[in-house]
Amino acid sequence: MTKQLIIKKNITKIFVACPANRITGGPEALHQLVHELTNLGFDAYMFYYDRNKNLDPVAEDYKGYNNKFVEEIEDDYNNILVVPETKTELLYNYYSIQKVIWWLSVDNHFGFLNSKNKLKKMIKSILYYLHIYPRQIYRFSKKEKIIHFVQSEYARQMLKNKSINNIFFLGDYLNNLFIERQINNINTKKEDIVVYNPKKGIEFTKAIIEEAKDIKFVPIENMTRDEVANLLSTAKVYIDFGNHPGKDRIPREAAISGCCVIVGKNGSAKFYEDVPIEDEFKYDLSIKNIPLIIKKIRSCFDNYEEEVKKFAKYREIIKNERAKFIDDIKNIFQVSQ
């Protein structure tokens, strides 16, 4: 990646903006960044936005990272502010601080353009192309001295298409719960179950369920992290026909838990770098492919031991993600190896 700008060497403080009390993949990655920066000796802090001042802004799932947080960002030349792609408007409140956007997703940034209401979508599209920007939309400009971190090849390609070159790769890693279960081989006996996320690609998934009524499909909903881990450890297959706005966590959680993973060719799932599974497990979201998907699910049930071997490389990549994440940080922030 071409690096026209680099992270300054004389760093005083690093602030990482994060939504308060949100438990999703993006906020966990933001907590991971502050945690690893702190371990490397940096003075790093969480800055929580959209918070209720009467509540603890730190979600219970992330207290284990033991990150410090601040109420205000110090706008100083030697400080750095990292914001997720869903809060880019925060950048325009500061002037001296070095600014970074971490693209943990792509679609979530442009989600306002994906409105199902055609009139709203048309109005918002016109505003966007007239450079009248709603909140959250970053004004892409090669002149701005903003550095971009990307968590996926999907995001890198998007920035490249907008002629942005100040790009560094910074991935993330799965919560240790899933890794330890795999390393300690505590996955339970596998059953003929298909797990899916009802928040992602549900219409296409419903069509599959309707055509395969003899197959047991179990949604991930209203579950703790432990319950998700137990479910994935039991199932043979995980399907995901969502938009894959970034390198999503649940497909990785499923793969490391011993599931065969079947996805649609949307977003990051199109890229082998982001979802490194064979093409036989990736499908265009076409009605004509539903029988093929069901056939593949049955193959994963009947020939599980052989099919799951095809995910060995994916599982190995997932196990090494934290080490890669730390190496990425050292490269970006110029830490001696």
Side-chain angles (χ1 to χ4, degrees):
M1 296 180 187
T2 303
K3 301 173 185 175
Q4 292 182 340
L5 297 172
I6 62 172
I7 294 289
K8 59 191 65 168
K9 293 184 178 180
N10 299 319
I11 301 170
T12 302
K13 295 180 180 179
I14 302 172
F15 302 97
V16 177
C18 178
N21 297 116
R22 287 285 302 278
I23 302 176
T24 61
E28 180 149 29
L30 296 164
H31 283 84
Q32 289 172 345
L33 177 56
V34 170
H35 178 73
E36 301 299 351
L37 284 168
T38 301
N39 287 344
L40 289 170
F42 290 96
D43 198 9
Y45 301 87
M46 305 297 301
F47 171 77
Y48 295 104
Y49 55 85
D50 297 340
R51 60 173 294 194
N52 183 329
K53 295 293 184 180
N54 297 319
L55 298 178
D56 183 348
V58 187
E60 195 64 36
D61 283 13
Y62 305 145
K63 289 187 182 295
Y65 289 110
N66 296 313
N67 291 337
K68 299 174 290 185
F69 69 88
V70 295
E71 303 287 344
E72 295 182 358
I73 294 169
E74 298 173 26
D75 190 17
D76 184 90
Y77 176 80
N78 290 319
N79 294 341
I80 295 172
L81 170 60
V82 180
V83 304
E85 80 294 331
T86 52
K87 197 64 177 179
T88 54
E89 72 269 20
L90 190 63
L91 297 176
Y92 304 108
N93 295 338
Y94 305 96
Y95 301 95
S96 299
I97 201 165
Q98 182 165 9
K99 301 171 183 179
V100 178
I101 299 173
W102 191 7
W103 294 88
L104 296 165
S105 76
V106 173
D107 302 12
N108 292 347
H109 180 72
F110 297 103
F112 83 105
L113 288 175
N114 298 325
S115 172
K116 292 183 179 180
N117 184 302
K118 291 184 179 180
L119 178 60
K120 287 183 179 179
K121 183 174 181 179
M122 181 180 70
I123 292 171
K124 290 175 180 178
S125 297
I126 291 170
L127 290 175
Y128 180 73
Y129 289 110
L130 289 175
H131 300 278
I132 303 172
Y133 300 94
R135 66 187 300 272
Q136 296 187 356
I137 297 304
Y138 169 61
R139 301 187 289 271
F140 287 94
S141 171
K142 289 183 285 186
K143 295 180 180 180
E144 285 190 307
K145 294 182 178 180
I146 291 178
I147 288 175
H148 300 262
F149 297 166
V150 293
Q151 179 252 19
S152 65
E153 178 64 15
Y154 179 41
R156 191 187 77 83
Q157 291 289 344
M158 181 277 294
L159 292 175
K160 181 180 177 182
N161 289 339
K162 293 183 178 294
S163 301
I164 300 296
N165 295 313
N166 307 315
I167 306 170
F168 293 83
F169 187 86
L170 180 62
D172 61 359
Y173 56 89
L174 287 191
N175 186 280
N176 223 27
L177 168 69
F178 294 92
I179 307 297
E180 288 178 351
R181 289 178 69 97
Q182 199 277 338
I183 291 174
N184 296 328
N185 195 29
I186 60 175
N187 294 332
T188 57
K189 183 180 178 181
K190 289 290 186 179
E191 300 177 15
D192 290 349
I193 294 173
V194 178
V195 176
Y196 67 96
N197 182 353
K199 296 179 181 179
K200 301 288 183 74
I202 188 59
E203 293 305 320
F204 192 78
T205 300
K206 281 181 178 178
I208 294 171
I209 294 172
E210 186 64 27
E211 292 296 319
K213 293 182 178 179
D214 61 311
I215 293 176
K216 184 178 181 180
F217 292 85
V218 181
I220 296 176
E221 57 184 349
N222 301 320
M223 292 183 180
T224 65
R225 183 169 277 164
D226 281 334
E227 289 170 338
V228 172
N230 289 333
L231 174 61
L232 292 174
S233 293
T234 303
K236 288 183 180 178
V237 177
Y238 172 76
I239 60 174
D240 192 330
F241 300 104
N243 59 338
H244 295 270
K247 195 168 61 173
D248 286 354
R249 285 175 181 265
I250 298 182
R252 287 180 280 162
E253 292 170 354
I256 203 68
S257 300
C259 293
C260 297
V261 178
I262 300 173
V263 299
K265 294 181 180 179
N266 287 338
S268 66
K270 291 182 293 190
F271 297 91
Y272 184 82
E273 297 91 333
D274 298 335
V275 184
I277 62 178
E278 301 303 322
D279 282 344
E280 65 183 285
F281 296 96
K282 295 184 177 184
Y283 294 86
D284 290 317
L285 302 193
S286 169
I287 295 299
K288 68 180 182 181
N289 283 334
I290 288 179
L292 299 177
I293 294 168
I294 294 171
K295 182 178 179 180
K296 174 55 75 174
I297 290 172
R298 296 191 193 282
S299 177
C300 291
F301 284 173
D302 298 338
N303 308 294
Y304 172 74
E305 295 300 333
E306 291 303 313
E307 294 281 21
V308 79
K309 288 178 183 177
K310 299 174 183 177
F311 297 86
K313 181 177 180 180
Y314 193 16
R315 292 194 296 272
E316 195 62 27
I317 290 171
I318 293 166
K319 283 192 287 186
N320 293 322
E321 281 180 332
R322 184 175 183 183
K324 176 67 165 57
F325 184 71
I326 294 170
D327 284 344
D328 289 341
I329 292 174
K330 289 179 177 178
N331 173 54
I332 292 168
F333 292 91
Q334 304 173 68
V335 176
S336 299
Q337 300 287 336

